Amino acid sequence: MLALRLTRGARPAVQLRRLLVTAASAGTGFLLLCAMGYALAHPGSPADATARLVWCLPPVAATVHLAVAVARTDPGTRPRPGLAAVGLGPARLMLVSATTTALSCVLGSMLALLVFLHLRGDLTGMPFDGAATEALAAGTPLPVPGSLTLLALVPVLASAAVAFVLRPTVLGPAPDGGARRSYGRFGATGRVAARETFGSYGRFGTRGGAAGRGTGRGEPEPAEGTVAVETPAVESVPELPAPHPAPKGLPWGVAVLAAGLAVETYATGATDDGGPALPAALPAGPTGVLAGWLLTAVGLALLAPGLTHLCGLLLQAVRPGALRLLAGRGLMEEATRIGRPLGVVCAVASAAVAMTPLPDSGSFGPLTALGAAVVTGCAVATLCTAAVEARQDRSGTTAALLRLGAPAATLRGAAALRAGALLAVFGPLTLVVAELAALPLTR
């Protein structure tokens, strides 16, 4: 009931993101049901039916990735002061997030089942009734356990992934005997319970040792019989947070990307080994080409955070001003959060560009187009959601800069500079990878 109340009372932008998860779950569920329908209609071709089911895995993974990104940006399940007193601690909020994700995915699976039954002709009285009776095995009764298993696949995986990512971590005292750490955002990161600013560092005598216990400014306590005159405390100046260290996946990403391109090139002269056939939108070829494409996509996802961090470093090179400093620090801080979805988008875009100049080996089927739309839409939506999450995390720094008198145009210029730097780096990279990936297929 609490998950339903939080879902109903969310803002329109949050509801839109949840509807995107529902739409992705509906498209993926429909593809899974169509794979089952093909298996029922062609009982003598188990290899083809298995291949269609395997090609449903990329939409499943894209849908789960989007569901996790939407759950991380949900403000209704974010820890707030006073919630723990009423029993809504980090663990309870994690369960609420997982339940909300499961509800969105279950709604999409139910929509997929209704459309599937309608196209089979089991539901009458609507347009396009029985439009795909032959492809979906209209004359064969559906196995209820198999249908329910396929429909429950996306909700179970998405809710489990959300619960794993947003799980609270049990944090005790610091190893060095320092301050006790508290739950971070969704309990995913541990932070010191009391963060000290630069002003408090000098004002409360943290460097004064035993002498600093008197006045809090590193001065000795006043002698007995004297009057201590208190000076007004100086307001602390907010600091930009120190950037995170560089991601360590750049060498691995380059190695996996090179391995994927090498596998595709090696598989050019190979004959068809009888592996799983490619969809109608892709040219027929050996299984090595498919393995090379998968390795290339994984390599782009691994190296993208390191490239994003490198973009931030380059923006701050050679005596940067305030604009380049803000843009560079922002990219370094958001390298992992923005880089991984950006790498997935580059992988999808490079695959689309690689297929464009290929000779026509078969028209796009409706299921192939639906799968491509689900994967592309989920990748773009995940990137946009990650950008929203990054904006929420730096809202405190933005508000502090505005209080100090920073022009709003400077902040907008820094955001535009970040986007331009990423486009200047990842745009040519996507084109180069697409050209190299298309070479084995055009020979």
Side-chain angles (χ1 to χ4, degrees):
M1 293 301 297
L2 179 60
L4 289 175
R5 291 180 180 179
L6 293 175
T7 302
R8 184 182 58 184
R11 294 177 298 179
V14 179
Q15 299 287 13
L16 178 60
R17 292 195 290 267
R18 291 171 179 169
L19 287 178
L20 290 177
V21 175
T22 301
S25 177
T28 305
F30 183 78
L31 290 174
L32 291 172
L33 292 176
C34 289
M36 182 185 64
Y38 181 86
L40 294 176
H42 303 81
S45 303
D48 295 339
T50 303
R52 287 175 176 267
L53 187 61
V54 169
W55 275 102
C56 294
L57 294 181
V60 170
T63 303
V64 172
H65 194 198
L66 175 61
V68 172
V70 171
R72 288 173 60 92
T73 57
D74 193 346
T77 56
R78 179 175 299 178
R80 292 184 295 274
L83 290 182
V86 295
L88 292 179
R92 183 70 179 276
L93 290 177
M94 178 268 294
L95 293 177
V96 171
S97 299
T99 305
T100 304
T101 303
L103 291 176
S104 301
C105 294
V106 166
L107 178 59
S109 298
M110 293 299 101
L111 292 176
L113 179 60
L114 290 177
V115 175
F116 181 78
L117 294 178
H118 172 61
L119 294 179
R120 275 172 47 95
D122 297 336
L123 302 179
T124 59
M126 293 185 293
F128 305 103
D129 183 33
T133 55
E134 297 181 359
L136 303 181
T140 305
L142 291 178
V144 177
S147 303
L148 294 181
T149 301
L150 292 177
L151 290 176
L153 182 62
V154 174
V156 170
L157 291 179
S159 57
V162 169
F164 177 78
V165 172
L166 306 183
R167 71 192 186 281
T169 55
V170 180
L171 300 176
D176 55 355
R180 183 179 180 88
R181 294 181 177 271
S182 61
Y183 288 104
R185 184 171 182 270
F186 291 103
T189 57
R191 298 178 180 176
V192 178
R195 298 184 62 184
E196 294 181 351
T197 61
F198 179 81
S200 62
Y201 182 75
R203 184 167 68 251
F204 294 105
T206 56
R207 296 183 60 183
R213 291 194 297 266
T215 60
R217 299 181 181 85
E219 301 175 0
E221 295 184 1
E224 186 177 357
T226 60
V227 178
V229 180
E230 295 184 359
T231 56
V234 181
E235 184 180 359
S236 61
V237 179
E239 295 180 343
L240 289 175
H244 291 175
K248 300 180 181 179
L250 182 59
W252 289 102
V254 174
V256 174
L257 177 61
L261 296 176
V263 168
E264 292 183 30
T265 305
Y266 178 79
T268 303
T271 58
D272 194 358
D273 53 2
L278 297 175
L282 303 179
T287 309
V289 176
L290 173 60
W293 276 9
L294 294 178
L295 287 176
T296 301
V298 173
L300 285 174
L302 288 177
L303 65 87
L307 285 181
T308 304
H309 193 275
L310 183 60
C311 290
L313 287 177
L314 294 179
L315 284 178
Q316 301 176 77
V318 192
R319 303 179 64 181
L323 186 63
R324 287 197 292 141
L325 184 62
L326 285 175
R329 280 293 181 92
L331 283 181
M332 293 172 66
E333 184 75 15
E334 302 161 4
T336 302
R337 182 185 295 112
I338 297 294
R340 290 174 181 173
L342 186 59
V344 176
V345 170
C346 289
V348 175
S350 63
V353 174
M355 291 187 298
T356 301
L358 296 179
D360 187 14
S361 60
S363 59
F364 276 90
L367 297 182
T368 303
L370 177 60
V374 170
V375 173
T376 305
C378 288
V380 175
T382 303
L383 179 60
C384 296
T385 306
V388 171
E389 182 186 5
R391 183 179 180 181
Q392 292 176 354
D393 287 347
R394 65 171 180 265
S395 59
T397 303
T398 303
L401 292 175
L402 292 176
R403 286 196 305 268
L404 290 175
T410 302
L411 300 179
R412 291 193 295 267
L417 187 58
R418 287 195 296 267
L422 292 178
L423 184 61
V425 172
F426 285 93
L429 176 64
T430 302
L431 295 178
V432 170
V433 173
E435 291 295 329
L436 294 177
L439 285 178
L441 303 176
T442 55
R443 295 178 182 178

